Amino acid sequence: MTRRARRFRTVLTVLSAWSVLAGAALTGAAPASGAPRAVVVAPGVEYSQFDIKAAKGVTHAHVLSVDLSHPQVGVGLLYPGKVASRATVSRLATAAGAVAGVNGDFFNITETQHPGVAATGAPVGPAIAAGHALKAAVPKGQRFGPALPPGTGTTDVLGVTADGTARLDSVALDGSVTTAGGDLPLRGLNQYALPVGSVGAFTSDWGSVSRMRAVCGTDTDRAAPCSTDTHEVLVEDGRVVGTAGTPGSGAIAAGATVLVGREAGAQQLRKLAPGDAVEVRHLLVSSTGTPYAFALGGYPVLRGGQPLPGLDATTSAVRTAAGVADGGRRLLLLALDGAAAYRTGLTIAEIATTMRGLGSVDAFSLDGGGSSTLVARAPGSTTVTVRNHPTDGTERAVPNGIGVFTKA
C-alpha cells in the first residue's frame, strides 16, 4: 500500500465516528484539521462536513446522516411534479417542506446529437414517489453519465420501503397493451428513450415536453439517428381517440395514455383505429419483490461492505452518493464541494471507500459535477440553504433528488 493510500484510509477511519459529534454551527468553512463536525438539522437528522485527502488532492465532503428508525424522520422523492421537468434542489426541497436533501439521478441533459429534438430533462432510471410509479428505465446504451461498473444497469435503484428501510435493488417494468388483435409487450413508461422496435406509454406524469426523443438513438448507441418509422396513439377511457404518424407534445390529460411505437412497435400501433378498445397495464416490479414507497436511479458502488469490481479508480470528479447503514435504518447522503480548491473530487473507487468509511454497507452513486448539491435547514430556519459550492457557481436544475422530512 502506498503512503497516499495509507493516509486516505486513516482519514476515513477518523470519519467513521463522525455521527457521534455534535454542537458545531452550520457554516461553509472547511475544518482546518479535516476532522468531521456535525450539527442536528432536525430530530434524527445530522449534517457534517470535512476534508478528505484523496489521490489527486484534498476534497471537501458534506454529509447528511438520516436515522430512518426515528419516528419523526422520513425520506421521499423530490421532483417538480412531472418527469420531464427540472428545478434546483433548494427549490424542490423548500416546495416539498423538506429539512434537507441532495440531487438524484443522471438525466437527459442535452440533445446536441439530435438537432431539433428537445432535451427532455427526464431521469435515466426508474422513479417512484409516495408508492406511485412515475417512470421506468431507459435502455443501457441510452443513459447519460459515466460508464457503469460491470454487472450494473439502468434498472438499479436506491429505494426506501413503506416502513422506512433503505436498500439497493433493481426495478423493471412489467406491462402490456391489450387489443382485439392480442397483447403487445409494453417496454416503456414515461422514459426519454424506448427500446428499438417497442411500444411505450406516456401518462400525465410525463409533462408537456415533446415525446420525439423517445424514438431517437438505439439500445446501444445514444447518438444514432431518430427513427423514421414511428406511430402514436391516444387512449382515453379504454378507447383509441386519436392517432399520429410522429410523436407529439403537450400535456396528457389525467387518466389518458399516449402510446408511442417505433419500428415493429409502430407497425403494431398502426393497426389501431379510433374507437378500438385498448387496455394499458404497467407496473414497476423489484427484483426482490419488495414494494417501495420511494426509489430513484443511479448505480451501486458498494455491496455488502465491498466495493464492486471494476470501479473507476482514475477519473476524479465532484460527486453525490447515498449509503445504507445499520441494516437499512440509516441513510447517508454525501455531496462533494465544487469550490475551486476542492474540485478535483474523488474517483468512483474512492467514493465507495469513503461511503464504507462512513459506515455504509451498501452505497449508490448519484449524478455529480454541476448537479452535486446538498441542502439543509439552519437551526430555526423554515427553508433550506445550499451547503456545498456547486461547480457551476449556481445550482443546476435537476429532475429529482432525495428529500429528508420530519413528521409530527
Side-chain angles (χ1 to χ4, degrees):
M1 182 183 294
T2 66
R3 178 186 300 176
R4 187 178 297 274
R6 286 195 298 269
R7 182 172 57 190
F8 184 57
R9 176 169 290 181
T10 299
V11 171
L12 291 178
T13 301
V14 173
L15 299 187
S16 66
W18 76 273
S19 62
V20 301
L21 304 178
L26 281 169
T27 68
S33 66
R37 54 191 187 181
V39 65
V40 174
V41 175
V45 183
E46 291 182 341
Y47 163 76
S48 182
Q49 56 176 316
F50 45 82
D51 290 341
I52 298 174
K53 295 179 180 179
K56 295 187 179 180
V58 176
T59 192
H60 194 66
H62 301 258
V63 176
L64 294 166
S65 177
V66 184
D67 181 3
L68 297 176
S69 66
H70 195 289
Q72 291 179 265
V73 172
V75 296
L77 188 74
L78 298 176
Y79 78 110
K82 301 297 179 183
V83 169
S85 182
R86 295 195 288 157
T88 63
V89 176
S90 61
R91 180 177 176 183
L92 293 173
T94 297
V99 299
V102 297
N103 64 289
D105 199 358
F106 302 86
F107 61 97
N108 175 207
I109 190 171
T110 182
E111 277 306 320
T112 56
Q113 297 160 322
H114 303 112
V117 175
T120 66
V124 169
I128 299 172
H132 174 65
L134 292 174
K135 70 174 299 290
V138 302
K140 190 173 181 178
Q142 290 269 17
R143 66 182 297 276
F144 287 75
L148 290 172
T152 65
T154 55
T155 61
D156 286 311
V157 298
L158 167 71
V160 176
T161 62
D163 70 352
T165 302
R167 61 192 301 174
L168 303 190
D169 208 333
S170 178
V171 171
L173 176 64
D174 179 7
S176 62
V177 179
T178 300
T179 71
D183 287 355
L184 305 175
L186 188 70
R187 301 286 304 283
L189 174 64
N190 293 325
Q191 56 200 60
Y192 68 79
L194 295 174
V196 172
S198 72
V199 173
F202 291 81
T203 70
S204 59
D205 289 324
W206 171 253
S208 59
V209 176
S210 171
R211 298 174 289 275
M212 185 65 195
R213 177 58 185 83
V215 299
C216 297
T218 67
D219 300 358
T220 58
D221 183 4
R222 193 181 74 203
C226 300
S227 175
T228 56
D229 185 4
T230 65
H231 199 71
E232 182 172 277
V233 170
L234 174 60
V235 179
E236 292 181 350
D237 298 323
R239 298 281 176 179
V240 175
V241 298
T243 65
T246 57
S249 61
I252 300 169
T257 300
V258 174
L259 298 174
V260 174
R262 56 179 299 178
E263 298 89 32
Q267 295 164 27
Q268 292 295 326
L269 292 185
R270 289 193 190 99
K271 298 176 182 178
L272 299 175
D276 287 351
V278 175
E279 179 185 356
V280 182
R281 181 189 64 83
H282 49 75
L283 182 69
L284 292 184
V285 180
S286 71
S287 64
T288 60
T290 304
Y292 289 99
F294 146 73
L296 84 171
Y299 60 90
V301 296
L302 185 73
R303 286 190 188 277
Q306 297 300 315
L308 269 65
L311 294 181
D312 179 12
T314 303
T315 307
S316 295
V318 174
R319 304 184 190 275
T320 302
V324 178
D326 299 342
R329 306 307 292 178
R330 183 159 64 105
L331 187 64
L332 294 161
L333 302 175
L334 172 146
L336 298 182
D337 205 289
Y342 305 115
R343 202 166 293 168
T344 51
L346 297 174
T347 67
I348 288 297
E350 287 172 333
I351 282 288
T353 304
T354 298
M355 298 309 291
R356 182 171 61 180
L358 290 171
S360 302
V361 174
D362 300 311
F364 202 65
S365 178
L366 300 167
D367 193 11
S371 297
S372 285
T373 310
L374 185 147
V375 301
R377 288 185 185 179
S381 177
T382 58
T383 61
V384 300
T385 54
V386 180
R387 294 301 165 188
N388 67 330
H389 296 86
T391 60
D392 296 339
T394 58
E395 280 188 87
R396 174 184 288 173
V398 297
N400 61 26
I402 302 172
V404 182
F405 300 87
T406 57
K407 300 178 287 187

